[in-house]
Amino acid sequence: MDIPLLLLSSFIIAVTGLFFFIWSLRKGLLDPHAAAAKVIFSSGEIGRVEEPAATAAKQRDLQRAMTASHCEPDATELQARLAADASSARPAFVLLGFAVFWLLVASLAGLTSSIKLHEPDWLTQYAWLSFGRIRTIHLNAVAYGWAPMAALGVALWMMPRLLKTRLEGARFAVWGAVLWNIGLAIGIGCIAVGLNDGMEWLEIPGQVGILFAVGGAMIGLPLVFTLRRRKVEHLYVSVWYMGAALFWFPVLYIVAKLPNLHFGVEQATMNWWFGHNVLGLFYTPLSLAAVYYFLPKVIGRPIQSYNLSLIGFWCLAFFYGQVGGHHLVGGPVPEWLVTLSIVQSIMMIVPVVAFSLNQHLTMRGHFAALKHSPTLRFVVLGGMMYTVSSIQGSFEALRSVNTVTHFTHFTVAHAHLGLYGFVTLVMFGAIYFAMPRILSREWPYPKLIAVHFWLVAIGFAIYFVSLTTAGLLQGFAMVDASKPFMESVRVTLPWLQGRSIGGALMTLGHLAFAAHFLLMALARGPQRSGAAILRPLAPTA
């Protein structure tokens, strides 16, 4: 079999299919018409804001900021939505609870590993606290703990709302989450004692990974059952993203963990095929699904262009599959494989621009709403970080850029821009919106949400700028043949200290978030009017 010809053919087919899809939208052959963007709203609900994370006063300010007339939504449809929320409350809460726990574990492990980069003699008496192990614990607690539990918990809660029906088979999701987290706990323990498979993102032993496969399948079952009983004719774009993510992840993980299949150079190629695709074809679709739901719901108006949202989805599906190869620039892999990866990385600008334009046009004239909506601050900032991260990643794939940035802290900064700046911030916003509906009570301390936002926003800004600067200085020092290798280490030290300062602020923000989550779950603190019942708002002329 001629592999280069096969991959080139698949690329040409993908481009041809994309142009046919765009042409069909222009001609109306597959036109979902503007009404498709409105399926997430009940009758009479467009123009009415929805922000459960805000106080009553802030909701009224938010409604005035939108300057749109509205009427009260249909009571029957709202009762059906409340029933849908109730059906997903238990599994969503279980997954989100696990997510918050792993967020704390990942934060503490990450801060420890960050400090060790400039204080290598700190905490050296225990093997599991060595940099190689604690950094790997941090990665896996994020990659298989916080990120998937938060994203799947939000997806379970969104799906009944999007399909306007009750969640079917919720118990499967609960037990699936338990199995998944047992597997993760065992996997983290294996890494701590020095047992792992030796590939980044795939360190957890394959025997333990079976629990991920079974648990993940059980979590996905209710989404499949509910989809079959949907009461909507059109599937909103968020459903497409969630469904694709639930299909892509098991394919990626099973292929990557098949025993006695990948060796040598092929193993390295597979490693970055998985490592990049798990971000782009699992976390990213689930996060984009959340943005496309929560942004229009909060401001009470549909997304500006539904066609753009579909173009973004299909471009992601067509072009993302081979972008991981650019991590192997200069490695012992076929040149055509790296070139194909670079081309597809640049092509990823298309779906990113489609999403960015859609978000900006939807928010245009309404950015003042960010002052009043905690959910919107996290989601909109996360969406912006998706744009920056993706554009940066596309140009980072170029050989001329990769020569400087490869094997430096720049790559680590870029990875955090995607998984933290985009995915994590969007999940924070989604959780702030969903939890009052899940528990039928409001967040007890609204000001703590603002404290959380500013701690993580400022902390991440310091973290990202410090690590990016360190990476560029490191890269330029390494390509300069007149400088010794240790010079590339020395120039990074003050910036690595800045990274730890930023990471400490982010960890404080996570502690505030986790404490607030726990207080809400235990019904502690001030009890305010229930957010699960939509408040009547005075109509705005």
Side-chain angles (χ1 to χ4, degrees):
M1 180 183 295
D2 192 337
I3 299 298
L5 181 61
L6 179 64
L7 287 173
L8 179 62
S9 300
S10 68
F11 179 72
I12 293 173
I13 292 171
V15 173
T16 304
L18 176 62
F19 278 111
F20 173 77
F21 177 72
I22 296 173
W23 174 80
S24 67
L25 289 178
R26 296 280 296 174
K27 294 296 183 180
L29 301 180
L30 301 174
D31 187 13
H33 55 78
K38 301 177 182 178
V39 298
I40 61 174
F41 297 97
S42 301
S43 302
E45 197 176 17
I46 293 178
R48 186 187 197 282
V49 302
E50 182 180 357
E51 174 51 300
T55 63
K58 285 292 186 181
Q59 284 210 33
R60 287 191 291 271
D61 291 340
L62 177 60
Q63 185 65 61
R64 284 193 290 270
M66 292 308 301
T67 62
S69 60
H70 73 280
C71 56
E72 290 303 313
D74 181 83
T76 302
E77 291 189 36
L78 287 186
Q79 288 301 317
R81 183 186 298 168
L82 290 175
D85 287 349
S87 69
S88 61
R90 185 184 177 196
F93 177 71
V94 169
L95 267 74
L96 295 180
F98 280 126
V100 173
F101 171 78
W102 289 115
L103 175 67
L104 294 181
V105 172
S107 301
L108 295 174
L111 182 57
T112 302
S113 62
S114 177
I115 294 173
K116 280 178 169 289
L117 286 173
H118 53 86
E119 296 291 340
D121 294 328
W122 183 57
L123 295 179
T124 56
Q125 61 270 44
Y126 301 107
W128 71 274
L129 288 174
S130 61
F131 177 82
R133 295 189 191 179
I134 198 68
R135 188 264 177 191
T136 306
I137 289 173
H138 162 69
L139 172 62
N140 282 268
V142 172
Y144 299 105
W146 156 249
M149 289 296 100
L152 291 171
V154 169
L156 278 171
W157 182 80
M158 286 168 53
M159 190 67 82
R161 281 183 155 226
L162 291 165
L163 301 179
K164 298 187 177 180
T165 187
R166 296 176 61 86
L167 184 71
E168 298 290 332
R171 66 185 182 278
F172 291 108
V174 173
W175 286 109
V178 171
L179 275 179
W180 179 294
N181 284 276
I182 289 174
L184 180 55
I186 296 172
I188 294 291
C190 289
I191 293 170
V193 299
L195 300 174
N196 72 77
D197 281 355
M199 292 183 290
E200 193 167 6
W201 291 87
L202 292 166
E203 292 92 348
I204 291 177
Q207 299 90 330
V208 179
I210 294 172
L211 293 176
F212 288 160
V214 176
M218 293 178 69
I219 293 171
L221 282 177
L223 301 178
V224 176
F225 296 156
T226 306
L227 188 63
R228 294 179 60 188
R229 298 174 63 89
R230 66 185 185 272
K231 296 180 181 178
V232 293
E233 184 174 336
H234 176 76
L235 295 179
Y236 186 65
V237 66
S238 293
V239 180
W240 284 83
Y241 275 115
M242 290 188 290
L246 291 171
F247 169 76
W248 284 327
F249 178 76
V251 172
L252 293 171
Y253 193 77
I254 291 172
V255 170
K257 295 297 274 188
L258 282 174
N260 302 317
L261 181 62
H262 311 291
F263 301 96
V265 172
E266 180 190 335
Q267 187 181 59
T269 306
M270 177 281 302
N271 190 184
W272 282 112
W273 170 81
F274 174 84
H276 225 290
N277 283 349
V278 74
L279 175 62
L281 298 179
F282 182 55
Y283 305 132
T284 293
L286 291 174
S287 301
L288 290 176
V291 174
Y292 274 120
Y293 179 77
F294 291 108
L295 192 153
K297 285 296 289 183
V298 170
I299 66 176
R301 55 172 293 183
I303 56 174
Q304 181 70 21
S305 172
Y306 196 72
N307 283 350
L308 269 180
S309 71
L310 294 179
I311 289 174
F313 170 80
W314 286 108
C315 282
L316 181 73
F318 284 143
F319 296 131
Y320 203 93
Q322 297 297 327
V323 301
H326 69 245
H327 282 271
L328 301 171
V329 171
V333 295
E335 196 71 8
W336 59 262
L337 177 64
V338 175
T339 300
L340 176 64
S341 174
I342 294 172
V343 171
Q344 294 202 206
S345 297
I346 295 298
M347 292 297 290
M348 277 301 299
I349 293 176
V350 177
V352 173
V353 170
F355 166 81
S356 303
L357 279 175
N358 224 358
Q359 175 174 269
H360 178 76
L361 292 174
T362 303
M363 286 296 299
R364 185 176 57 182
H366 304 294
F367 282 98
L370 295 173
K371 294 188 300 184
H372 312 296
S373 170
T375 298
L376 213 55
R377 283 196 291 271
F378 282 103
V379 169
V380 170
L381 181 58
M384 292 177 177
M385 293 302 100
Y386 171 64
T387 303
V388 176
S389 171
S390 299
I391 298 296
Q392 183 193 60
S394 293
F395 285 97
E396 191 180 350
L398 298 174
R399 287 182 174 88
S400 57
V401 178
N402 204 281
T403 300
V404 176
T405 61
H406 203 37
F407 300 124
T408 71
H409 295 293
F410 187 95
T411 304
V412 182
H414 169 67
H416 281 78
L417 186 60
L419 196 48
Y420 192 90
F422 168 45
V423 175
T424 294
L425 290 187
V426 169
M427 288 303 120
F428 282 147
I431 291 171
Y432 277 125
F433 186 103
M435 279 296 289
R437 301 288 191 235
I438 290 171
L439 297 181
S440 298
R441 52 180 171 268
E442 291 189 334
W443 292 96
Y445 298 102
K447 290 185 179 178
L448 204 54
I449 302 177
V451 170
H452 173 212
F453 176 79
W454 288 112
L455 280 172
V456 299
I458 295 172
F460 184 68
I462 296 172
Y463 180 99
F464 178 74
V465 171
S466 297
L467 211 51
T468 299
T469 305
L472 290 173
L473 293 174
Q474 183 184 23
F476 286 124
M478 286 198 297
V479 298
D480 188 344
S482 66
K483 293 182 179 180
F485 174 77
M486 286 308 296
E487 177 65 14
S488 70
V489 177
R490 187 192 62 79
V491 296
T492 66
L493 290 179
W495 302 102
L496 293 178
Q497 292 169 350
R499 164 189 174 157
S500 294
I501 293 171
L505 290 175
M506 292 156 63
T507 300
L508 285 176
H510 301 163
L511 290 171
F513 169 66
H516 205 187
F517 185 95
L518 183 62
L519 288 171
M520 186 183 191
L522 298 176
R524 301 292 177 87
Q527 300 299 305
R528 300 180 292 116
S529 55
I533 306 300
L534 295 175
R535 296 190 186 95
L537 297 172
T540 304

